[in-house]
Every structure is written in C-alpha cells, then in structure tokens.
Amino acid sequence: MFAPFRIWPLAGVLLATSLFAAEPGSSIGYVMKVQGEASVIRDGATVPATIGTPLYVGSTVKTGPAGSMGVTLEDNTVMSFGPNSELTLDEFIFDPAQDDLKLSAKITHGTLDYISGTIAKLKPQAVEINTPTGTIGVRGTHFLVKVD
C-alpha cells in the first residue's frame, strides 16, 4: 500500500537541504541596512543599495564618503561597511549537508566589521577575507578591518 504521508517528511528534508546550496545566479544574501550613498555592482551594472537588495557571487558593495551599509549572507554572516568602503564577494558555497562550505571576499578599501556566520562555525578554514596586503583567516569570530 502506498503511504504518501510517509514521503512528505523526507521531501521536506530534501527541500530544506537544497535551499542551502547557492545555485548559479541565486542570491547569497541581502542588504539589511543603508545610510547615505551606497551601491551594489553586479555584472557591470551599479544600482543604489536599498534594504532588500540581493547580493550574488561576484557582487561588489560600495559606500560613498558619508555612506554605510550592512549586509547579511545566507549563512548569517553579518558584514557592516563604513564610509568609502568597497568589498567584492568572490565565492560563496553553503551546503552544510555535503560539508561544502566556502566564503571568500576581497576588501580593497574602507572599513569592514565582520561577524562570523555558520560557515566559519562549521568549517573555519573555509572563510577568508582578502586585503591588498594579506589574507585574514577567519576562525569563528568578530573583527574590524580598515584598509587605506
């Protein structure tokens, strides 16, 4: 006898697991706070940052001289940027069920206040923030970096 009610819990688990993996072209996070001049650049197009603006692998977030912005990624990583900041999200893979985790970003100038999300908690060596002079290996923490 076919029992469809036994399949639904398994379907729910499979669906929830698949939602964590970032499909090509799917958003990896969102702008959560904006003050002053701030923008998101994707595929060469610059759009003003507003609350809810999606972020993708390859997106660059940028703030102006009096701007600030806060973003949250799908793994609950929180990044806040001060004036004259620019950061590119180079890689983001979040599939905990397959132990496939990676976050790589590059800040070229400005300030970044970083609070670790799930990727850094599950696999600290999978997170790196690159600067013009070195790489910050994140080990499940909170830090502030300034790049002139």
Side-chain angles (χ1 to χ4, degrees), residues 10-139:
L10 177 58
V13 169
L14 292 174
L15 177 63
T17 301
S18 68
L19 292 176
F20 287 112
E23 296 295 323
S26 65
S27 68
I28 62 168
Y30 296 92
V31 173
M32 302 301 280
K33 182 180 177 187
V34 179
Q35 186 173 359
E37 183 184 347
S39 59
V40 175
I41 304 162
R42 179 174 182 236
D43 297 330
T46 302
V47 296
T50 59
I51 294 172
T53 300
L55 303 172
Y56 301 88
V57 170
S59 291
T60 298
V61 295
K62 189 172 185 177
T63 59
S68 63
M69 181 179 355
V71 304
T72 301
L73 302 181
E74 291 296 321
D75 76 322
N76 291 319
T77 294
V78 175
M79 293 188 267
S80 300
F81 307 94
N84 293 317
S85 296
E86 185 172 326
L87 177 132
T88 302
L89 296 160
D90 295 320
E91 287 184 83
F92 186 86
I93 302 168
F94 185 54
D95 188 357
Q98 299 300 316
D99 194 36
D100 199 5
L101 305 164
K102 176 79 175 166
L103 169 56
S104 178
K106 176 178 51 195
I107 183 166
T108 55
H109 55 274
T111 56
L112 164 65
D113 187 1
Y114 175 95
I115 301 173
S116 295
T118 305
I119 293 174
K121 290 176 176 79
L122 294 177
K123 195 173 184 181
Q125 68 275 17
V127 180
E128 62 183 26
I129 305 297
N130 298 294
T131 73
T133 57
T135 299
I136 300 168
V138 177
R139 300 297 179 255

